[in-house]
Amino acid sequence: MRNAFHDDLDQLSNQLVGLAELAGSALAVATRALIDGDVELAATVIAGDARLDALRADLETHAVDLLARQAPVASDLRAVVTALRMASDLERMGDLARHVAKVARRRHPRTAVPPELVPTMTAMGQVAAQMVAKTAAVIATKDLAQAAELDHDDDAMDALHRQLYAALLAPSAQYPTDVAVDLALIGRYYERYGDHAVSVARRVVYLVTGRYATTPSA
Amino acid sequence: MRNAFHDDLDQLSNQLVGLAELAGSALAVATRALIDGDVELAATVIAGDARLDALRADLETHAVDLLARQAPVASDLRAVVTALRMASDLERMGDLARHVAKVARRRHPRTAVPPELVPTMTAMGQVAAQMVAKTAAVIATKDLAQAAELDHDDDAMDALHRQLYAALLAPSAQYPTDVAVDLALIGRYYERYGDHAVSVARRVVYLVTGRYATTPSA
């Protein structure tokens, strides 16, 4: 049965998709800023995060208003509460993109990523882009098969993260400490970004099936 | 006017205090494990995090049940929604304590913190302990003066974090890359722990005053 409440839920879902799209473009631009050492692109991401925060606040206002007006119960209530948690994950993904951009800006006019590590970082950016695009699609379509793919994508992200650390720590590498520290943090930002994407997808799966897998928290 | 709903809110508040206490003892033990290189203490923290996750799930069940049964509006509704977000911050603080413990375990039988950096790390642990204790008190008492102190404590944490990075990056330091990477990540875990404590306190201030300061997200 469709009713006004379900229209409201659809609107919440659209707001979540909007957040996911912003979080996605933020990290895509931040990755480019990082690899190219482009301080202007980095500044765009840093400034743009306020928009994501504002949209998340709008979503929260909308959700709380919905709870107050409609007093939903059972699965309808759970859908609204879950939307709040998904918004939290997506806002955090935007924060992580901002952190990547800040490293890019801090290292300017140098680039933070040594040439031999550019392929790994590029791949991390690509996997992240794929993950956030799937997350947006899963929110919109509730497609469980696509939600399940995110676990595999996250394994790919974790493998790249380990590869980055192995390269940093290779006895032959001898990276200056500031480079190693930057890359350790950047690696963690991408890995956490992937974790939050998985977390959003799992919340959708929970809403659809009533079953919840453990959230990644590495 | 006191009623059954406000008893329920008190119970939510008690549950939040319980989460804060667990997050506090987790980081206290993790700090000791880290500095002493005590792998058994580290294992305690890693295993203990499941309890915090379970208590947070209980809190969420309780909060959602409260929304369903009582359909609160206005400030009562906001109090329940905010409790959910505070629980999220506190669970994350427990995760960060677990991350610190994992570094301690990974480096065993070595210790991750070189002797000359032990004072800084000890101080970060002390500031964190102070912050989480105040956070628990602020949740219980809604004391705005104590909530305001947390901003200053967080400044102290950020200063220690910068001091740690300056020591890592000092040209004379020449730390092995694995040591630098560990400490960069550990420094970030403590800093984020402090941010989450501030975030919880600010949510309490918001509930009491209706005004909300920006959440730290560095």
Side-chain angles (χ1 to χ4, degrees):
Chain A
M1 190 189 73
R2 298 289 307 173
N3 57 26
F5 178 77
H6 290 100
D7 290 341
D8 276 325
L9 272 191
D10 285 346
Q11 199 193 321
L12 272 186
S13 173
N14 290 340
Q15 286 177 291
L16 288 170
V17 170
L19 286 180
E21 285 169 351
L22 278 181
S25 62
L27 192 64
V29 177
T31 302
R32 206 137 59 82
L34 180 73
I35 287 172
D36 298 347
D38 186 329
V39 73
E40 284 173 29
L41 276 186
T44 318
V45 175
I46 295 164
D49 191 46
R51 175 137 181 263
L52 211 156
D53 293 348
L55 287 178
R56 182 250 165 95
D58 288 349
L59 185 149
E60 186 162 323
T61 304
H62 178 206
V64 171
D65 177 59
L66 197 53
L67 292 174
R69 277 190 296 111
Q70 308 261 8
V73 295
S75 64
D76 288 343
L77 171 56
R78 181 52 77 172
V80 179
V81 170
T82 301
L84 287 168
R85 295 192 63 180
M86 291 195 274
S88 203
D89 281 307
L90 294 165
E91 183 191 12
R92 188 70 202 141
M93 289 165 78
D95 289 341
L96 291 163
R98 182 166 47 87
H99 291 325
V100 170
K102 280 188 170 176
V103 176
R105 188 175 65 177
R106 190 162 66 226
R107 288 299 157 228
H108 185 78
R110 288 190 296 132
T111 58
V113 185
E116 68 278 14
L117 295 180
V118 164
T120 305
M121 284 311 314
T122 303
M124 289 181 92
Q126 283 164 345
V127 173
Q130 194 174 310
M131 290 181 82
V132 71
K134 279 184 196 169
T135 300
V138 167
I139 295 167
T141 64
K142 319 271 187 291
D143 182 325
L144 298 184
Q146 205 163 24
E149 283 176 29
L150 273 158
D151 280 320
H152 296 287
D153 294 334
D154 198 42
D155 291 342
M157 179 66 94
D158 290 346
L160 287 165
H161 188 216
R162 281 192 298 274
Q163 181 180 316
L164 178 69
Y165 274 55
L168 281 182
L169 299 176
S172 59
Q174 306 270 14
Y175 287 109
T177 305
D178 60 343
V179 172
V181 164
D182 275 354
L183 287 169
L185 292 174
I186 291 169
R188 175 140 181 97
Y189 299 147
Y190 282 85
E191 185 222 359
R192 289 292 302 156
Y193 188 97
D195 286 345
H196 285 288
V198 171
S199 171
V200 170
R202 287 186 180 175
R203 294 188 208 282
V204 173
V205 172
Y206 174 75
L207 287 178
V208 175
T209 65
R211 277 174 291 118
Y212 193 69
T214 312
T215 311
S217 58
Chain B
M1 190 189 74
R2 298 291 306 173
N3 57 27
F5 178 77
H6 289 100
D7 290 340
D8 276 325
L9 271 192
D10 285 346
Q11 199 194 322
L12 271 187
S13 173
N14 291 340
Q15 286 177 291
L16 288 169
V17 170
L19 286 180
E21 286 169 351
L22 278 181
S25 60
L27 191 64
V29 176
T31 302
R32 206 136 60 80
L34 180 71
I35 288 174
D36 298 346
D38 186 329
V39 73
E40 283 172 29
L41 276 185
T44 318
V45 175
I46 295 163
D49 192 47
R51 175 135 180 266
L52 211 157
D53 293 348
L55 286 179
R56 182 249 164 95
D58 288 349
L59 185 150
E60 187 163 322
T61 304
H62 178 206
V64 171
D65 178 59
L66 197 53
L67 292 173
R69 276 190 296 111
Q70 307 261 8
V73 295
S75 64
D76 288 343
L77 171 56
R78 180 53 76 171
V80 179
V81 170
T82 301
L84 287 168
R85 295 192 63 181
M86 293 196 271
S88 202
D89 281 308
L90 294 165
E91 184 190 12
R92 188 71 202 141
M93 290 165 77
D95 288 342
L96 291 164
R98 182 167 47 87
H99 290 326
V100 170
K102 280 189 172 175
V103 177
R105 187 175 66 178
R106 190 162 66 225
R107 287 303 157 225
H108 184 77
R110 287 190 296 131
T111 58
V113 185
E116 67 279 12
L117 294 180
V118 164
T120 305
M121 284 311 313
T122 304
M124 290 181 90
Q126 283 163 347
V127 173
Q130 194 174 309
M131 291 181 81
V132 71
K134 279 184 197 170
T135 300
V138 167
I139 296 167
T141 65
K142 319 272 189 287
D143 182 326
L144 298 184
Q146 205 162 26
E149 284 177 30
L150 273 159
D151 279 320
H152 297 288
D153 294 335
D154 199 43
D155 291 341
M157 180 65 95
D158 290 345
L160 286 165
H161 188 217
R162 283 192 299 273
Q163 181 181 316
L164 178 69
Y165 275 54
L168 281 183
L169 299 176
S172 59
Q174 307 269 13
Y175 287 108
T177 304
D178 59 344
V179 172
V181 164
D182 276 353
L183 287 169
L185 292 174
I186 290 169
R188 175 140 181 96
Y189 299 148
Y190 282 84
E191 186 222 357
R192 289 292 302 155
Y193 188 95
D195 286 345
H196 285 289
V198 170
S199 170
V200 170
R202 287 185 181 175
R203 293 189 209 281
V204 173
V205 172
Y206 173 76
L207 286 178
V208 174
T209 67
R211 279 175 290 119
Y212 193 70
T214 313
T215 310
S217 57

